[in-house]
Amino acid sequence: VEDLSGNAMSKTTLAFTMKDKTPPSDFTAKIYKAGDKGQLLKVNFNDTMATDGKYSVLDLDKYEIHFKASGNWYVICLADIKGATIKAVDGGKAVEIKVPSYVDKDDEDAVPGEDYFDILPGDLLVIAKVADVAGNKTQLNTNYVPIVKSGRVGLKSEDSIQLTAKDTI
């Protein structure tokens, strides 16, 4: 940097702290082995999330599945399903939720929604208010996340794809 007379400023280093003030958003949910043995729901938060305290992403009570059956919508809280577990993965940027499916249960008297639940692509995951490690909470008390099948590739918007060369998209 120079002043108007051409005198250069001596080399200077300044320290500063930048705080994360952006609330987490744009979550995704993928189902692996839907309705099969070892069913797993992976939720990506795209931010390192809190894993303890009131807004922890490891609280199964914060997760509901909204699903349609016989033309009506129903709700299941994942904490109410026996054997459902949750753990943080990907450095706290995602969680994996294991939910027993019908195939996992040997008991003929197993009750759907209590002993097992088959999560399907097209169901809707509803996540209560959670926070990132910086303490930023989601703006909404309920966050709706469509559940998609693993392996499916999608685009966030029509504007995110473009032709960059004759043979490259």
Side-chain angles (χ1 to χ4, degrees):
V1 176
E2 293 180 356
D3 62 15
L4 294 175
S5 300
N7 301 313
M9 182 175 128
S10 60
K11 185 175 180 178
T12 303
T13 302
L14 302 171
F16 68 94
T17 302
M18 187 169 156
K19 293 184 179 183
D20 176 6
K21 293 189 179 225
T22 306
S25 63
D26 296 328
F27 308 147
T28 61
K30 289 185 180 180
I31 186 67
Y32 296 82
K33 297 185 177 182
D36 205 352
K37 195 166 194 72
Q39 173 176 252
L40 177 92
L41 179 65
K42 185 170 183 182
V43 183
N44 288 295
F45 294 102
N46 302 313
D47 198 351
T48 305
M49 302 300 285
T51 55
D52 59 7
K54 183 177 179 180
Y55 300 105
S56 169
V57 294
L58 295 180
D59 181 358
L60 268 176
D61 280 311
K62 294 197 177 296
Y63 301 88
E64 293 178 343
I65 301 286
H66 292 212
F67 64 100
K68 201 170 195 176
S70 303
N72 295 314
W73 283 95
Y74 298 92
V75 178
I76 291 273
C77 180
L78 293 183
D80 295 339
I81 301 169
K82 296 175 191 163
T85 61
I86 187 169
K87 71 175 183 177
V89 295
D90 301 340
K93 291 186 175 190
V95 295
E96 290 180 348
I97 305 171
K98 291 184 180 178
V99 178
S101 69
Y102 176 76
V103 178
D104 288 314
K105 294 297 174 182
D106 295 330
D107 183 6
E108 291 181 14
D109 296 326
V111 178
E114 290 180 22
D115 297 310
Y116 70 90
F117 184 73
D118 292 343
I119 302 171
L120 301 173
D123 290 347
L124 190 62
L125 178 66
V126 179
I127 307 170
K129 189 176 282 279
V130 290
D132 63 16
V133 291
N136 301 308
K137 296 176 273 209
T138 54
Q139 291 181 343
L140 303 173
N141 288 328
T142 51
N143 301 277
Y144 297 91
V145 184
I147 298 173
V148 297
K149 186 176 180 182
S150 64
R152 181 176 166 185
V153 177
L155 301 171
K156 288 188 176 185
S157 74
E158 294 172 10
D159 298 331
S160 63
I161 186 169
Q162 52 185 245
L163 185 66
T164 56
K166 228 179 189 182
D167 58 353
T168 306
I169 297 178

